[in-house]
Amino acid sequence: MKNDRRRVALIIESSRSYGRNLLRGIAQYSRTHGNWSLMHEEMTIDASLPQWLAGAGVNGVIARVDSHTLDPLRQLSIPIVDVRCRNAHTGIPQVETDDRAVARLAYQHLSERGFQRFAFCGFREAHYSYNRLRFFRECCEASGKSLAVYETDGATKPITSIERAGLTDDLALSRWLKTLQPATGLLVCNDIRGHQVLAACRDAGILVPDELGVVGVDDDDVICPLCDPPLSSVRPDAERVGYRAAAVLDELMQGNPVHDTMELVPPVTVTQRMSTQVSAVEDRELARVCRFIREHACDGIDVNDVVEYSALSRRALERRFRQELDRTPHQELMNVQVARVKQLLKETSLKLEQVSRMAGYSHPERLGVVFKRETGMTPGEYRRQANHAGGDNMVQVE
């Protein structure tokens, strides 16, 4: 029997989480619809085409198309789908993350944290940075807010070189960050830039998230936890982008016409980590107290410890909490503890006694009462629900 299984080349980097998720989405489509032979080798985003491509007899290509790969890909005379979308190319359909929706989601997240000032940090020659800045500015202007902007000039056109330029721009970046008035919500163009910004904040003594809340893009599962503090990030639906790109390529390989337009896929959510885990307030003493609570709530402190730390009397502190945050210091303590319990229940297999100690409760029974009151679920019910939604991906924490 003749083997008519289609051979599809994937010119997509595996060095970044976004690229890896594109590959997962393509693989899912192939398993359920195409039964393709997928050809791929490990590469970075700006890599040249692999030498084996011209003689591989492929029937179609899904690629991160760029100026140095466009002509060689066209010479193959086979269907191509672009998932980089840096420029439009006649005859090549494109599937991409919706950067307007990314910017809107980031703006909403920062606004919900209470930020009234906004800033953006990116790379000047990177197309994705340009798009996210443009749409983030739209969000700010629609709300009557000003936007402070800082962009590092790329030394050369390849994206990896542009992003590396941020590592040598630390002094100028630090000077700009110091000009931002607390409290400011900052969108960075991607998680790589976020890592650079948070390092600069740490060296400059800028308190994140109290003085500067930072949210990235890509939700890279390696980069975000490496940041100090861990970086909140918009999670694009890269698997869906890959899946849709494969569906478009399938149509092309079957001889069906496909328009050259770009299909946009909205992001999923914002994964909140410590870089935006704050209620932004103009009152700097209140912000200082909230940071103390956030850092020590799980150490067993109570409201008396908070009052002793504060420069305010108990009555004045209570009044400012109600005015600015619509809650009491006791409620703020409890919110931090409950958030920690949720994290431990979702991300670990620790027993409730261990979770209780790590969240600042001396008895698991007390934790159970508070958790049930605040969430409507027992800790066990919450863990089962989280496991069902997220799969069996727990890790043991010592």
Tab-separated table of all heavy atoms in Angstrom, residues 286 289 303-304 306-307 310 312-331:
chain	number	residue	atom	x	y	z
A	286	LEU	N	0.647	52.936	54.992
A	286	LEU	CA	-0.228	51.777	54.859
A	286	LEU	C	0.408	50.731	53.954
A	286	LEU	O	0.336	49.531	54.230
A	286	LEU	CB	-1.584	52.211	54.308
A	286	LEU	CG	-2.715	51.175	54.366
A	286	LEU	CD1	-2.936	50.723	55.803
A	286	LEU	CD2	-3.993	51.755	53.784
A	289	VAL	N	2.970	48.869	55.968
A	289	VAL	CA	2.356	47.907	56.881
A	289	VAL	C	1.845	46.686	56.121
A	289	VAL	O	2.000	45.543	56.580
A	289	VAL	CB	1.213	48.585	57.668
A	289	VAL	CG1	0.415	47.557	58.453
A	289	VAL	CG2	1.779	49.650	58.599
A	303	VAL	N	-2.609	41.038	65.115
A	303	VAL	CA	-2.812	42.470	64.916
A	303	VAL	C	-1.943	43.283	65.864
A	303	VAL	O	-1.471	44.373	65.509
A	303	VAL	CB	-4.305	42.823	65.081
A	303	VAL	CG1	-4.518	44.334	64.995
A	303	VAL	CG2	-5.141	42.126	64.011
A	304	ASN	N	-1.692	42.780	67.075
A	304	ASN	CA	-0.830	43.513	68.012
A	304	ASN	C	0.571	43.706	67.442
A	304	ASN	O	1.180	44.772	67.615
A	304	ASN	CB	-0.751	42.770	69.350
A	304	ASN	CG	-2.064	42.804	70.103
A	304	ASN	OD1	-2.819	43.761	70.001
A	304	ASN	ND2	-2.343	41.746	70.862
A	306	VAL	N	1.274	43.873	64.268
A	306	VAL	CA	1.133	44.840	63.174
A	306	VAL	C	1.100	46.260	63.722
A	306	VAL	O	1.767	47.163	63.200
A	306	VAL	CB	-0.146	44.536	62.351
A	306	VAL	CG1	-0.350	45.605	61.282
A	306	VAL	CG2	-0.071	43.155	61.724
A	307	VAL	N	0.348	46.471	64.806
A	307	VAL	CA	0.261	47.798	65.416
A	307	VAL	C	1.616	48.231	65.945
A	307	VAL	O	2.030	49.393	65.790
A	307	VAL	CB	-0.791	47.804	66.542
A	307	VAL	CG1	-0.755	49.126	67.309
A	307	VAL	CG2	-2.186	47.553	65.965
A	310	SER	N	3.748	49.407	63.070
A	310	SER	CA	3.298	50.629	62.414
A	310	SER	C	3.662	51.868	63.228
A	310	SER	O	3.799	51.829	64.456
A	310	SER	CB	1.785	50.578	62.202
A	310	SER	OG	1.308	51.794	61.677
A	312	LEU	N	1.565	54.223	63.357
A	312	LEU	CA	0.240	54.741	63.680
A	312	LEU	C	-0.311	54.076	64.929
A	312	LEU	O	0.097	52.973	65.298
A	312	LEU	CB	-0.724	54.496	62.514
A	312	LEU	CG	-0.330	55.075	61.159
A	312	LEU	CD1	-1.279	54.576	60.078
A	312	LEU	CD2	-0.324	56.596	61.201
A	313	SER	N	-1.258	54.753	65.556
A	313	SER	CA	-1.985	54.132	66.655
A	313	SER	C	-2.915	53.066	66.093
A	313	SER	O	-3.195	53.032	64.887
A	313	SER	CB	-2.805	55.172	67.406
A	313	SER	OG	-3.862	55.655	66.578
A	314	ARG	N	-3.395	52.193	66.982
A	314	ARG	CA	-4.297	51.137	66.523
A	314	ARG	C	-5.538	51.726	65.853
A	314	ARG	O	-5.958	51.253	64.790
A	314	ARG	CB	-4.693	50.238	67.701
A	314	ARG	CG	-5.473	48.995	67.286
A	314	ARG	CD	-5.949	48.196	68.491
A	314	ARG	NE	-6.458	46.900	68.086
A	314	ARG	CZ	-5.840	45.740	68.257
A	314	ARG	NH1	-4.652	45.715	68.843
A	314	ARG	NH2	-6.392	44.612	67.854
A	315	ARG	N	-6.110	52.770	66.475
A	315	ARG	CA	-7.330	53.360	65.919
A	315	ARG	C	-7.058	53.995	64.554
A	315	ARG	O	-7.846	53.827	63.609
A	315	ARG	CB	-7.886	54.407	66.883
A	315	ARG	CG	-9.142	55.113	66.358
A	315	ARG	CD	-9.724	56.045	67.397
A	315	ARG	NE	-10.209	55.304	68.558
A	315	ARG	CZ	-10.791	55.875	69.613
A	315	ARG	NH1	-10.941	57.204	69.649
A	315	ARG	NH2	-11.216	55.144	70.624
A	316	ALA	N	-5.946	54.719	64.432
A	316	ALA	CA	-5.611	55.358	63.153
A	316	ALA	C	-5.334	54.314	62.075
A	316	ALA	O	-5.726	54.476	60.913
A	316	ALA	CB	-4.407	56.275	63.323
A	317	LEU	N	-4.664	53.226	62.453
A	317	LEU	CA	-4.363	52.167	61.496
A	317	LEU	C	-5.650	51.503	61.006
A	317	LEU	O	-5.832	51.265	59.802
A	317	LEU	CB	-3.444	51.129	62.136
A	317	LEU	CG	-2.924	50.015	61.217
A	317	LEU	CD1	-2.051	50.602	60.115
A	317	LEU	CD2	-2.140	48.984	62.023
A	318	GLU	N	-6.560	51.218	61.935
A	318	GLU	CA	-7.841	50.622	61.558
A	318	GLU	C	-8.591	51.555	60.597
A	318	GLU	O	-9.170	51.105	59.605
A	318	GLU	CB	-8.683	50.370	62.812
A	318	GLU	CG	-8.106	49.347	63.775
A	318	GLU	CD	-8.622	47.950	63.490
A	318	GLU	OE1	-9.429	47.800	62.565
A	318	GLU	OE2	-8.205	47.002	64.208
A	319	ARG	N	-8.597	52.861	60.910
A	319	ARG	CA	-9.319	53.825	60.084
A	319	ARG	C	-8.748	53.874	58.665
A	319	ARG	O	-9.488	53.873	57.683
A	319	ARG	CB	-9.276	55.214	60.738
A	319	ARG	CG	-10.102	56.253	59.981
A	319	ARG	CD	-10.139	57.586	60.709
A	319	ARG	NE	-8.811	58.200	60.815
A	319	ARG	CZ	-8.120	58.285	61.937
A	319	ARG	NH1	-8.599	57.791	63.068
A	319	ARG	NH2	-6.931	58.862	61.945
A	320	ARG	N	-7.412	53.917	58.566
A	320	ARG	CA	-6.811	53.989	57.232
A	320	ARG	C	-7.050	52.706	56.432
A	320	ARG	O	-7.252	52.753	55.224
A	320	ARG	CB	-5.311	54.254	57.359
A	320	ARG	CG	-4.983	55.649	57.839
A	320	ARG	CD	-3.545	56.001	57.503
A	320	ARG	NE	-3.097	57.198	58.166
A	320	ARG	CZ	-1.880	57.723	58.026
A	320	ARG	NH1	-1.000	57.130	57.238
A	320	ARG	NH2	-1.539	58.827	58.662
A	321	PHE	N	-7.020	51.565	57.096
A	321	PHE	CA	-7.312	50.310	56.397
A	321	PHE	C	-8.722	50.332	55.816
A	321	PHE	O	-8.944	49.940	54.670
A	321	PHE	CB	-7.145	49.116	57.349
A	321	PHE	CG	-5.854	48.378	57.172
A	321	PHE	CD1	-4.720	48.758	57.892
A	321	PHE	CD2	-5.757	47.313	56.295
A	321	PHE	CE1	-3.516	48.093	57.731
A	321	PHE	CE2	-4.564	46.628	56.138
A	321	PHE	CZ	-3.433	47.018	56.854
A	322	ARG	N	-9.677	50.815	56.610
A	322	ARG	CA	-11.067	50.849	56.133
A	322	ARG	C	-11.236	51.867	55.015
A	322	ARG	O	-11.945	51.619	54.039
A	322	ARG	CB	-12.011	51.155	57.294
A	322	ARG	CG	-12.125	50.007	58.301
A	322	ARG	CD	-13.280	50.225	59.259
A	322	ARG	NE	-13.382	49.131	60.225
A	322	ARG	CZ	-13.991	47.976	59.972
A	322	ARG	NH1	-14.530	47.745	58.776
A	322	ARG	NH2	-14.049	47.033	60.911
A	323	GLN	N	-10.576	53.002	55.140
A	323	GLN	CA	-10.697	54.040	54.116
A	323	GLN	C	-10.073	53.605	52.794
A	323	GLN	O	-10.660	53.809	51.728
A	323	GLN	CB	-10.035	55.331	54.601
A	323	GLN	CG	-10.792	56.052	55.704
A	323	GLN	CD	-10.032	57.266	56.219
A	323	GLN	OE1	-8.824	57.430	55.970
A	323	GLN	NE2	-10.730	58.125	56.962
A	324	GLU	N	-8.887	53.029	52.826
A	324	GLU	CA	-8.144	52.713	51.611
A	324	GLU	C	-8.462	51.328	51.049
A	324	GLU	O	-8.496	51.146	49.827
A	324	GLU	CB	-6.632	52.803	51.878
A	324	GLU	CG	-6.142	54.191	52.242
A	324	GLU	CD	-6.143	55.136	51.049
A	324	GLU	OE1	-6.115	54.641	49.901
A	324	GLU	OE2	-6.181	56.358	51.266
A	325	LEU	N	-8.680	50.347	51.928
A	325	LEU	CA	-8.810	48.967	51.478
A	325	LEU	C	-10.163	48.334	51.795
A	325	LEU	O	-10.432	47.209	51.358
A	325	LEU	CB	-7.698	48.111	52.111
A	325	LEU	CG	-6.267	48.545	51.792
A	325	LEU	CD1	-5.279	47.719	52.599
A	325	LEU	CD2	-5.984	48.423	50.305
A	326	ASP	N	-10.985	49.045	52.557
A	326	ASP	CA	-12.312	48.550	52.928
A	326	ASP	C	-12.233	47.224	53.683
A	326	ASP	O	-13.057	46.326	53.489
A	326	ASP	CB	-13.203	48.409	51.689
A	326	ASP	CG	-14.675	48.241	52.055
A	326	ASP	OD1	-15.093	48.768	53.105
A	326	ASP	OD2	-15.408	47.567	51.295
A	327	ARG	N	-11.230	47.105	54.518
A	327	ARG	CA	-11.104	45.934	55.388
A	327	ARG	C	-10.224	46.305	56.575
A	327	ARG	O	-9.624	47.383	56.612
A	327	ARG	CB	-10.523	44.730	54.636
A	327	ARG	CG	-9.203	44.967	53.927
A	327	ARG	CD	-8.775	43.694	53.183
A	327	ARG	NE	-7.554	43.883	52.407
A	327	ARG	CZ	-7.536	44.201	51.124
A	327	ARG	NH1	-8.665	44.395	50.466
A	327	ARG	NH2	-6.384	44.343	50.477
A	328	THR	N	-10.122	45.398	57.539
A	328	THR	CA	-9.341	45.642	58.750
A	328	THR	C	-7.969	44.987	58.632
A	328	THR	O	-7.750	44.119	57.769
A	328	THR	CB	-10.061	45.055	59.970
A	328	THR	OG1	-10.099	43.619	59.831
A	328	THR	CG2	-11.476	45.604	60.079
A	329	PRO	N	-7.018	45.356	59.504
A	329	PRO	CA	-5.730	44.652	59.520
A	329	PRO	C	-5.898	43.155	59.761
A	329	PRO	O	-5.174	42.342	59.184
A	329	PRO	CB	-4.974	45.336	60.669
A	329	PRO	CG	-5.560	46.697	60.740
A	329	PRO	CD	-7.015	46.529	60.407
A	330	HIS	N	-6.861	42.790	60.624
A	330	HIS	CA	-7.105	41.367	60.869
A	330	HIS	C	-7.530	40.652	59.588
A	330	HIS	O	-7.059	39.544	59.301
A	330	HIS	CB	-8.178	41.203	61.944
A	330	HIS	CG	-8.615	39.773	62.138
A	330	HIS	ND1	-7.827	38.837	62.777
A	330	HIS	CD2	-9.744	39.107	61.743
A	330	HIS	CE1	-8.447	37.666	62.793
A	330	HIS	NE2	-9.613	37.806	62.169
A	331	GLN	N	-8.401	41.273	58.807
A	331	GLN	CA	-8.831	40.663	57.555
A	331	GLN	C	-7.676	40.557	56.560
A	331	GLN	O	-7.577	39.586	55.807
A	331	GLN	CB	-9.974	41.487	56.963
A	331	GLN	CG	-11.276	41.354	57.732
A	331	GLN	CD	-12.330	42.346	57.285
A	331	GLN	OE1	-12.032	43.504	56.983
A	331	GLN	NE2	-13.576	41.891	57.243
